[in-house]
Amino acid sequence: MINFHSKKIIVLTGMMGSGKSTIGKNLALKLRREFIDSDIEVSKASALSTSEIFDKFGEEYFRSGEKKIIKKYISERNENLVLSTGGGAFLNKELRDLINNKSISIWLNASYNTLYKRLNKNTKNRPLFHGHELKIKLQELIEKRTKYYKLAHFEIDVNGLHITEIIDNIIKQLENNYNEIC
Ligand code: S3P
């Protein structure tokens, strides 16, 4: 039985390919919450894919759209939501502080091997890898970003686990730490 009831938004962070969208959708279903993916919202706002936004307007433009969307959801809709954020959002201090102060943040921790296997299938809509050797860029991003992801309230290991196990582990963590986070 699920015993977790909180008004705070649950925010998922972690590397591209760590499963934020799939896990987010399933977690939302299980907790009877709405699910929002910040990448999809940024795309909708400009009617362009992430790659098209990067190509036409550059990364800075994407980041400012991403910031606006995340801020909007965290400050205006502080309830009943699971929000999956693009892998770069948590690196921004202002966003990270806002997320950590107002919501419950969860880092989906996937190893290099897990990420490589998933990302190697398709990097078409992952512009940070365009024009780069996947192996090298992936390693570089993991090295640069891990210290920020570690600042999330919770870390969930997603390596080699079925989605149902991951969701169960997230809910267990939330329930066990209810008093500290809610
Ligand atoms: C990015 C991750 C992507 C998307 C953009 C940049 C990043 O989202 O926001 O391509 O900097 O890690 P996902 O993590 O959902 O793939």
Side-chain angles (χ1 to χ4, degrees):
M1 198 183 94
I2 299 168
N3 222 350
F4 181 76
H5 302 283
S6 164
K7 286 206 154 194
K8 287 189 172 174
I9 294 184
I10 296 171
V11 175
L12 300 183
T13 184
M15 280 289 296
M16 287 170 271
S18 58
K20 298 181 296 288
S21 304
T22 313
I23 294 167
K25 261 180 229 156
N26 284 277
L27 181 65
L29 267 177
K30 191 106 185 194
L31 295 177
R32 293 168 191 267
R33 286 177 172 231
E34 187 187 345
F35 173 69
I36 296 285
D37 183 326
S38 70
D39 284 339
I40 293 178
E41 297 305 306
V42 177
S43 283
K44 270 195 213 157
S46 53
L48 294 169
S49 71
T50 304
S51 284
E52 287 168 339
I53 299 173
F54 270 64
D55 285 349
K56 284 198 172 172
F57 304 111
E59 181 171 351
E60 280 314 302
Y61 181 88
F62 175 84
R63 296 291 173 207
S64 94
E66 177 177 59
K67 197 177 203 179
K68 249 186 243 157
I69 296 282
I70 295 175
K71 275 178 147 179
K72 179 181 111 176
Y73 279 102
I74 304 236
S75 29
E76 289 174 15
R77 279 273 330 262
N78 201 14
E79 57 182 303
N80 221 25
L81 185 70
V82 174
L83 175 66
S84 161
T85 57
F90 210 65
L91 275 62
N92 179 286
K93 184 169 175 2
E94 187 188 343
L95 275 185
R96 190 171 61 246
D97 288 348
L98 180 73
I99 292 170
N100 276 344
N101 288 332
K102 295 252 187 177
S103 55
I104 301 165
S105 57
I106 301 177
W107 168 33
L108 301 181
N109 186 6
S111 69
Y112 171 89
N113 287 338
T114 300
L115 295 172
Y116 181 78
K117 261 188 240 150
R118 293 179 186 171
L119 295 168
N120 197 29
K121 290 183 189 145
N122 187 0
T123 51
K124 202 168 159 237
N125 199 30
R126 298 214 147 101
L128 287 187
F129 294 116
H130 296 173
H132 296 279
E133 173 88 42
L134 175 60
K135 283 184 178 164
I136 296 169
K137 187 70 184 175
L138 179 58
Q139 191 62 50
E140 184 190 308
L141 289 175
I142 292 173
E143 274 166 25
K144 187 174 155 212
R145 292 177 168 194
T146 302
K147 62 174 180 287
Y148 299 108
Y149 295 144
K150 279 187 175 166
L151 299 171
H153 296 127
F154 298 108
E155 172 184 343
I156 294 287
D157 183 347
V158 298
N159 299 292
L161 295 176
H162 188 268
I163 177 114
T164 53
E165 294 173 293
I166 299 171
I167 301 293
D168 285 351
N169 289 345
I170 292 177
I171 292 174
K172 254 185 247 157
Q173 284 253 34
L174 293 173
E175 288 178 347
N176 290 343
N177 293 281
Y178 185 84
N179 289 334
E180 287 104 274
I181 54 180
C182 295

